[in-house]
Each structure stands twice: as C-alpha cells, then as structure tokens.
Amino acid sequence: MNKIILFTLCLCLTSVAAQAQQALTDNGEVNSPVVHEDQSITFRVFAPRADTVRVWGDWMPRTDGQTEGAEMQYNGEGVWTYTTTPMPSDLYTYYFQMDGVRVLDPENVHLVRDVSTIFNMVIVEGGRGDLYKVQDVPHGTVAKRWYSSPALDRDRRMTIYTPPGYEQKTESYPVLYLLHGMGGDEEAWTSLGRTAQIMDNLIAEGRSEPMIVVMPNGNVYQQAAPGKSPKGFYKPTMQLPNTMDGEMERTFPDIINFVEENYRVHADKESRAIAGLSMGGFHALHTSRYHPDTFQYIGLFSPAIYPGENENAGVYSDIEETLTEQKENGYELYWIAIGKSDFLYDQVKRYRSELDSLEIPYEYLESEGGHTWKNWRDYLSEFIPKLFDKTH
Amino acid sequence: MNKIILFTLCLCLTSVAAQAQQALTDNGEVNSPVVHEDQSITFRVFAPRADTVRVWGDWMPRTDGQTEGAEMQYNGEGVWTYTTTPMPSDLYTYYFQMDGVRVLDPENVHLVRDVSTIFNMVIVEGGRGDLYKVQDVPHGTVAKRWYSSPALDRDRRMTIYTPPGYEQKTESYPVLYLLHGMGGDEEAWTSLGRTAQIMDNLIAEGRSEPMIVVMPNGNVYQQAAPGKSPKGFYKPTMQLPNTMDGEMERTFPDIINFVEENYRVHADKESRAIAGLSMGGFHALHTSRYHPDTFQYIGLFSPAIYPGENENAGVYSDIEETLTEQKENGYELYWIAIGKSDFLYDQVKRYRSELDSLEIPYEYLESEGGHTWKNWRDYLSEFIPKLFDKTH
C-alpha cells in the first residue's frame, strides 16, 4: 500500500510544482498564515534572494484609501516574517510584495478575486469571523445556473443558494435577490461575500428564515463572470458599458420570472427582498421603485444613488413619483447602511434627506469604515435576520 | 454618470491592490498571456528588480517528471518575456519563478489548484482546447451539494453537473460517477478536469447523451475539499488516511442512494457509469467489482490497480472472484486508458494480462504522455461519447 501511495505522491503532483514547494517545506518552518491564541497573525514567506518583502492587508490603516503595507523581517535564513497585533475576529485578505511584485502566499491556497486582483484569505475565529467560516451545521446548495433573459436576448449565468433541505422538502421559500457592485459579477457574493456560510450559520442559529438567495450578474453587458462565458479567459475590468443605464432595472423581471418558474418559492411581494452593495445598491434602489409593488424588503449597502446626468429618461425619469408610489404600495423594510468614511457617504446623506422630505420611512445603519467587503459582509449579516415573516 | 463611475472605479478597488496593478498597466505593454495567430503564446511579467525570472509550463519536456522551466528575457524596461513555439490546441497551466519564488501571473486571474499548488490557465483554441472552453451552447448547472452518508456517519460534499434543461424537463437521465485522484477532492474534475465545459460541448455536438455527472469526494476522511469543511482553511496534502483501504468502495451505495432519491435519474444498472483517474480509477475498479451488478460502463483512467500488502481483507479479498462475477453479470463497456510514460503503466499491463487470463473483456487506449490532467481531460472526452444507450 505504502508503495502505491508513495509513487502516486511523487508523481501525481505535476513535476516542478513539487520542486518549488519542496524549497519551502524543506526549510521546515514556513507555515503561513498562523493565527495565534491571542488572535494575532504571523505571515511567512521563503524568499532568500529578495531585497525587500512587504505584506499588504485589508485591515491596515489607510490614507486616501491607500496603505503602504508593512515591512517583513528577514531571519537570515531565507524566511521573511510579519506578525500583526491581536486582531478582532473577522475574515481578512492579504498578499505579499516581493521587490515590488505582487506575490500570493505560496503556503495558502485559499484565494479570492476582487475584480482583477487575487488575494489570500485568513479567518480569525471567536466572533464575527465564525459567521464566515464553514461550521458543522446543515449546508445549503450553491449552484451556478444559466437562464434565458428574453429582454436582453441572451443566456446569462447566476449563482443560487438554496437552503439546507430544499431538495427534500415540498414547502416553498421566500427569495432574496442580492446584487454585486461595479467590477463584480455573479461570483462576488459567494466568494468575497461568504453568503453561503452566512446563510447556513444564521439559519442554524435560528436567526434567519430559510430562504433562497439569488445572485445574478448585474452587468447586463456580460453573460457571465470573466472566464465563465464564451468570451473566454480575459482580464476583468471595473468599467463595463450599460451597468447603470437602466437596463438592469428594466430587465429585472426576467430574473424573477426564471426563479419563480424554476424554484419552489412564494411568488408574492411579501416573499421578495432585494439588496445590493454599491452599484448593486443603486440597482436595488431603482429596481424596487421602477417595479414599485414587487419587493417587501429593500437593502441598500453603501449604495450609489444618483444616475448620471445623461440618464434622465426611461427608467430614471420620475424618480420621486415612483418612490412615492412604492411608499403608497407599502413595504416592510427599507434599510440603508453606509460607513462613515465611505466616498458615497454624502450621496447617501442627500438621499436620506430626500426620503425624509417625501416622508418615505427607512431604517439606517451608520458603521465605521468605508467602501469595503468587511462592511458588506457585516451589513448582509445584519440585514438577513430582518427578512420575512417567520409565520408565513 | 462618469463621475459616479470614476469615483467607484477609484475606490471600489481595495486600495493598494490598485497601486500594484497600476505599476503594471502604467507600463502599457504588459499583456499576459497572449495567444498569437500561429498558436504560440507570449508570457510577460513586470519585475524590474528581479535577477532572474523563469516560466514553468505543463507542456515543457520533462526528465523524471521534472522540468527546469524556461528563462524569460529582460527588455531593460522592467518587463520579462517568453514566447513558446506554436502549440497544439489545448488547455495549459503555468506559473513564473522570480528569483526562485513561485509567482502567479499578475495579469491572469484564471487560476486552478492542484493539491496545494495554484497555476495560471490559458487555452489555445482551434482544436482540442475548444472542448475545454465555454462555448455559445446551452449550459448545464454545476452545484456544490451536501449529502448525508449514513455508512460514514457524516455529511459530505459533492459536485453535481446536471445537463442543460434538466430543471425544465420531466424526463429522467443516466448518471456518470466520476472520481478524482489522490490529493484531489470534489472540486478537481470541474476545475482541472473542465468537466462542465466538456459535457456542455459534447452534448451540444450530439456526441454525448444528456447525463448527470456526480463528482463525490473520494477521501472518506474528508467531509469536503480543503477550506470547504468545518476544518477551515488549511494547506492541502497528497496523503490522507483511509483513501485506499476499502472504505470508499464499501460506502459507495450512500452516494448512489442519495443521487437516485434526489435527482430524476434512471435508477438501474443500464443507466449507471463509473470512472476515475489514478486513485479514482482504483476506486472505480474496486467499487464496480465489489458491487458487481451495479454499473454498465466502467472507465479506468491511468488507474492505480493493486491494493497494498496489508489490505487483503474486506473489500479487497476475492478480487478475482468478484471480477468474474462482474463479468458474468454483464456490462457494456470496461474501458482502460493510460499514457506510455505513466508510472502506473506496468501495473496496468499486469492487470490487462490478468483480465485476459480471466477472459474479462475490455477496451484499451494507450496514449502518449504520462500521469497528467492533459491526458485525463482527453480520456474523459473519449469516454463520454461511448456511454449509455441513445434510445433509452
């Protein structure tokens, strides 16, 4: 038996991959990242020929959104090290810079893509981070599913979370439509957003109704995430055509129709929620008022608010009128959250005063921090327990 | 509108990530990889302070499974370049080595994990590679699904591909159980193996029956892939306990039962196929003879064959007897494929002569190359069109 294992061990690994790994593990000490009992984290990388190695982390303080990262210390034997102070429980992303070049931690295969940048991930447990970790609880199903959008005349891809037991049961569920920001796609909320873990854990704790979470692609120009469509492998970009021109909002019924025809859901307003971050908050705002009797729960996370100057016609005409109609039709929750240092803070402030003057009720959460996934995971975790009548 | 886009553009990108990218794109020339019309590929990386940069590619010739990679040329202005000769259409993986440290191509977000190593991917179109690319054809659904295994007393995770239209139709489908190798998990066949693309494309070409492909985790010791179970984020290893000790084969009915209770499938032998690569070939071999009247189609891709010396009892006792029983019960196809330079070649040769002496019929494909994903994607593409009665 050992013989087979050893043979397979040696040769299944594709050749020099093994060689590169060996240089690290022969050293015997290069474990990275290591979360200590006091919740500090040590990062290590083996780079004997480098002049400088830095670590960049999403927890580091920033000036104008920028951080220099932190210098790693060289131990004289090839290994560079950096240890943080004790960290609050959360999910963190990081990478190294070796002589100015971005390098992922070769010891950590847990990666996440934000637009065109790949980061390593690490979770500090013992609090908020536990919500983002896979726990020993019943798990929902995450599917990558294609659907036809007649209004856009193309097949498009979405991510759908169905709650634990969905397949065995015969009951119907409410639905949250959860929208990503600019540069994101149908993969953002389940990767950076940890939606499946948050849902599994909140449901297991009895803090969330079992629900279906639909995460469509909000870039109507795209069929699917970069690399997942017939366009093939290409480098993602932040800016795409037609992202905030009304097409997403206008064609949103295609998504609802597909979900309500293909899943066991309550196909009524009381059982529909819509939320999104940044551009997705913009889409949630305008979709919910353009279809003003469709959603019972609306969540705007660090939302963009105002359409561009050239976007006064079509979907974006009569904004006050449709907001008023939405209010008159009634809804259970209109929830807005933003960080104090978010660059969209002033837009949200202006929008709140407009809602006030229209006497449109909303709940408001103002958090620390800015336009970050840390905040959006937080906001989702706060928003979910508020959704749907538990006695439906 | 531009204002919103620009603000969002600047700040949605998480701070220094943008900075690092900027260093590359300011240069204006660092596109990588670029596939040229003659099917050669150019790789580039911006690393002005590096002494040496090499590219390692899975197409490079090897001695004893090892390759040195190829030296990249410095242009004097920060950019290192390497261009291949024209390449056959296929999917290729690569990475850079900068002063001895593994570096992924910062311009290419399309990554794939093999055990504990991450690679960049590139597809050269115009032949075999087209089968591995997302094409403009109907797409099946890929779901990550948890199920209960009573025999192992735990919840476990599998990947399931359902063919285009599965959700809209009422008909039932045949099922292929597709097993990964040592160090792999339930994610291997859809990532490195490109199973969803191969299935979509073969079905669209009319070369495959619409079928369900079930990709379980073949390490009974694991609940799920590294990072996807309550064990959290950890570094994957090749060697796990209980991988080839009979537990996978013995408990396989839990997987079949789950699938047949939860999906619209033909629950009969005629509609079941089992195949796997390396350790998964071993599992397919021994599962199919231990449950000798269960599978109509068996595929062994570069299979390990023989249980270890200490594994003579239980599942691995009476191998000849159960193989003979399997033959007598009948099957449609027993298909074995292996590369001429595969380290398991001699095992397969010995097994073939044993099958011959037992007068057990099989089909045999001997390919070039060794124990590689290039071969396993090939073998899957060859095997699939042979499956299932088109008139079922």
Side-chain angles (χ1 to χ4, degrees):
Chain A
M1 180 64 152
N2 283 343
K3 226 179 208 170
I4 293 182
I5 290 182
L6 279 176
F7 270 126
T8 320
L9 177 65
C10 294
L11 290 152
C12 273
L13 266 179
T14 328
S15 68
V16 170
Q19 201 181 13
Q21 293 292 333
Q22 202 175 11
L24 294 170
T25 49
D26 275 354
N27 185 279
E29 294 293 326
V30 188
N31 294 319
S32 181
V34 176
V35 180
H36 304 288
E37 228 167 85
D38 69 354
Q39 300 193 178
S40 63
I41 312 173
T42 294
F43 302 95
R44 293 188 186 92
V45 61
F46 183 73
R49 291 164 61 193
D51 291 327
T52 60
V53 184
R54 305 181 72 84
V55 56
W56 177 95
D58 67 349
W59 64 87
M60 293 177 177
R62 279 174 194 68
T63 313
D64 294 333
Q66 304 285 320
T67 173
E68 292 289 302
E71 217 168 295
M72 299 181 80
Q73 300 304 312
Y74 189 60
N75 75 347
E77 293 174 359
V79 177
W80 300 77
T81 301
Y82 176 79
T83 299
T84 69
T85 55
M87 309 267 278
S89 169
D90 210 323
L91 183 152
Y92 298 100
T93 59
Y94 70 99
Y95 62 81
F96 301 136
Q97 275 187 312
M98 182 182 131
D99 293 340
V101 175
R102 268 182 72 84
V103 181
L104 290 165
D105 184 342
E107 295 298 298
N108 183 352
V109 300
H110 305 290
L111 307 178
V112 70
R113 176 176 66 83
D114 194 3
V115 193
S116 60
T117 307
I118 311 285
F119 299 86
N120 289 106
M121 283 192 289
V122 58
I123 288 177
V124 176
E125 299 183 35
R128 175 67 76 182
D130 296 351
L131 209 50
Y132 309 146
K133 185 174 175 284
V134 177
Q135 302 288 351
D136 190 14
V137 298
H139 302 292
T141 299
V142 176
K144 305 292 181 188
R145 177 102 190 251
W146 288 77
Y147 69 102
S148 167
S149 173
L152 291 167
D153 192 23
R154 64 184 67 166
D155 287 347
R156 306 192 71 228
R157 189 168 176 259
M158 56 169 61
T159 302
I160 303 202
Y161 169 90
T162 48
Y166 172 84
E167 294 89 349
Q168 281 86 41
K169 294 180 184 156
T170 52
E171 65 193 79
S172 292
Y173 294 85
V175 182
L176 165 63
Y177 296 87
L178 187 59
L179 312 178
H180 63 79
M182 193 167 283
D185 51 57
E186 75 276 14
E187 307 203 319
W189 267 112
T190 44
S191 59
L192 287 151
R194 304 295 286 175
T195 303
Q197 290 73 40
I198 292 170
M199 291 307 305
D200 284 352
N201 293 331
L202 288 177
I203 291 170
E205 291 172 18
R207 292 171 57 206
S208 167
E209 279 294 277
M211 67 182 77
I212 293 174
V213 184
V214 175
M215 293 154 276
N217 184 313
N219 311 307
V220 297
Y221 176 81
Q222 287 184 328
Q223 286 189 275
K228 306 301 165 71
S229 80
K231 282 187 72 181
F233 295 157
Y234 61 93
K235 189 174 177 181
T237 50
M238 282 292 285
Q239 227 167 338
L240 293 168
N242 306 110
T243 47
M244 294 162 82
D245 68 350
E247 282 298 274
M248 182 65 184
E249 298 90 333
R250 184 181 69 78
T251 62
F252 206 89
D254 282 355
I255 296 170
I256 297 178
N257 291 340
F258 170 78
V259 170
E260 297 187 350
E261 282 167 18
N262 283 273
Y263 289 83
R264 289 198 324 279
V265 301
H266 296 293
D268 54 36
K269 177 180 166 181
E270 286 64 34
S271 304
R272 287 191 209 107
I274 188 167
L277 73 90
S278 193
M279 178 183 84
F282 177 96
H283 286 149
L285 188 168
H286 294 289
T287 300
S288 68
R289 61 148 194 83
Y290 185 68
H291 306 283
D293 203 17
T294 307
F295 300 98
Q296 187 80 329
Y297 305 84
I298 298 99
L300 314 183
F301 308 164
S302 315
I305 304 286
Y306 298 103
E309 284 165 23
N310 303 324
E311 299 289 352
N312 297 321
V315 168
Y316 303 120
S317 58
D318 310 320
I319 291 186
E320 287 198 8
E321 199 177 308
T322 49
L323 275 175
T324 303
E325 201 179 332
Q326 186 179 12
K327 176 185 79 167
E328 283 164 4
N329 290 330
Y331 50 76
E332 188 67 28
L333 178 68
Y334 201 105
W335 194 79
I336 306 174
I338 194 158
K340 285 173 188 165
S341 57
D342 195 305
F343 74 102
L344 293 169
Y345 185 88
D346 286 343
Q347 281 201 30
V348 166
K349 191 173 169 188
R350 180 178 145 203
Y351 184 57
R352 285 169 53 217
S353 71
E354 286 171 2
L355 291 176
D356 290 339
S357 72
L358 292 166
E359 297 184 342
I360 292 177
Y362 60 90
E363 289 184 24
Y364 177 62
L365 172 73
E366 193 168 290
S367 73
E368 298 301 316
H371 210 70
T372 64
W373 273 103
K374 171 186 165 55
N375 272 346
W376 302 325
R377 286 184 292 262
D378 274 3
Y379 298 163
L380 182 67
S381 310
E382 294 294 321
F383 182 64
I384 290 288
K386 300 175 186 290
L387 299 185
F388 305 119
D389 183 352
K390 311 270 192 277
T391 61
H392 194 102
Chain B
M1 181 60 152
N2 282 345
K3 228 180 207 170
I4 293 184
I5 290 182
L6 279 177
F7 270 126
T8 320
L9 177 63
C10 294
L11 289 152
C12 275
L13 265 178
T14 326
S15 69
V16 169
Q19 202 183 12
Q21 292 294 330
Q22 201 176 12
L24 294 169
T25 48
D26 275 354
N27 185 280
E29 294 293 330
V30 187
N31 295 320
S32 180
V34 176
V35 180
H36 304 287
E37 228 167 89
D38 68 353
Q39 301 193 174
S40 63
I41 312 174
T42 295
F43 302 94
R44 295 189 185 90
V45 62
F46 182 74
R49 292 164 60 194
D51 292 327
T52 60
V53 184
R54 305 182 73 83
V55 56
W56 178 94
D58 67 349
W59 63 89
M60 293 177 177
R62 276 173 198 69
T63 314
D64 294 332
Q66 304 287 319
T67 172
E68 292 290 302
E71 216 166 296
M72 299 181 78
Q73 300 303 313
Y74 190 59
N75 76 346
E77 293 173 359
V79 178
W80 299 77
T81 301
Y82 175 79
T83 298
T84 69
T85 54
M87 309 267 278
S89 169
D90 210 323
L91 182 152
Y92 298 100
T93 59
Y94 71 98
Y95 63 80
F96 301 136
Q97 274 188 312
M98 180 180 136
D99 293 340
V101 176
R102 270 182 71 82
V103 181
L104 290 165
D105 184 343
E107 296 298 298
N108 182 353
V109 300
H110 305 289
L111 307 178
V112 71
R113 176 176 66 82
D114 193 3
V115 195
S116 61
T117 308
I118 312 284
F119 298 87
N120 288 106
M121 283 192 289
V122 59
I123 289 177
V124 176
E125 299 182 36
R128 175 65 77 179
D130 296 350
L131 209 48
Y132 309 146
K133 187 174 176 282
V134 177
Q135 303 286 353
D136 191 12
V137 299
H139 302 293
T141 299
V142 176
K144 306 293 181 188
R145 176 101 189 251
W146 288 77
Y147 69 102
S148 167
S149 172
L152 292 167
D153 192 23
R154 65 185 63 167
D155 288 347
R156 307 191 72 229
R157 189 168 177 260
M158 56 170 60
T159 302
I160 303 201
Y161 169 90
T162 46
Y166 172 84
E167 294 89 349
Q168 282 86 40
K169 294 178 186 157
T170 53
E171 67 193 75
S172 293
Y173 295 86
V175 182
L176 165 63
Y177 295 88
L178 187 59
L179 311 178
H180 62 79
M182 191 167 284
D185 51 57
E186 75 276 14
E187 307 204 318
W189 267 113
T190 43
S191 57
L192 287 150
R194 305 294 287 175
T195 303
Q197 290 73 42
I198 292 170
M199 291 306 307
D200 284 353
N201 293 330
L202 287 177
I203 291 170
E205 290 172 20
R207 291 171 57 206
S208 167
E209 279 293 278
M211 67 182 79
I212 292 174
V213 184
V214 175
M215 292 154 277
N217 183 313
N219 312 306
V220 297
Y221 177 82
Q222 288 184 327
Q223 286 189 274
K228 306 299 165 70
S229 80
K231 284 188 72 181
F233 295 157
Y234 60 93
K235 189 173 177 180
T237 50
M238 281 294 283
Q239 226 168 340
L240 292 169
N242 307 110
T243 46
M244 294 163 83
D245 68 350
E247 283 298 275
M248 181 66 184
E249 297 90 335
R250 184 181 68 79
T251 62
F252 207 88
D254 281 356
I255 296 169
I256 298 177
N257 292 340
F258 170 79
V259 170
E260 297 188 350
E261 281 166 18
N262 285 272
Y263 289 82
R264 291 199 323 279
V265 303
H266 296 294
D268 54 34
K269 176 179 167 182
E270 286 65 35
S271 304
R272 288 192 209 106
I274 188 168
L277 73 91
S278 193
M279 178 183 84
F282 178 96
H283 286 151
L285 187 169
H286 294 290
T287 300
S288 69
R289 64 148 191 81
Y290 186 68
H291 306 283
D293 203 19
T294 308
F295 300 98
Q296 186 81 329
Y297 304 85
I298 298 100
L300 315 183
F301 308 164
S302 314
I305 304 286
Y306 298 103
E309 284 165 23
N310 304 323
E311 300 288 352
N312 297 321
V315 168
Y316 303 120
S317 58
D318 309 321
I319 291 186
E320 286 199 6
E321 199 176 310
T322 48
L323 275 175
T324 303
E325 201 181 332
Q326 186 180 11
K327 176 184 79 170
E328 283 165 5
N329 290 329
Y331 50 76
E332 187 67 30
L333 176 70
Y334 200 104
W335 194 79
I336 305 174
I338 194 159
K340 286 174 187 162
S341 57
D342 196 304
F343 74 102
L344 293 170
Y345 185 88
D346 287 342
Q347 281 200 30
V348 167
K349 192 173 168 188
R350 180 178 144 203
Y351 184 57
R352 285 168 53 218
S353 71
E354 286 169 4
L355 291 176
D356 290 340
S357 71
L358 292 167
E359 297 185 342
I360 293 177
Y362 60 89
E363 288 185 25
Y364 178 62
L365 172 73
E366 192 167 291
S367 73
E368 298 301 316
H371 211 69
T372 63
W373 274 103
K374 172 187 164 56
N375 272 346
W376 302 325
R377 286 184 292 263
D378 273 3
Y379 298 162
L380 182 66
S381 311
E382 294 295 321
F383 183 64
I384 290 287
K386 300 176 187 291
L387 299 185
F388 305 119
D389 183 352
K390 311 269 191 278
T391 61
H392 194 101

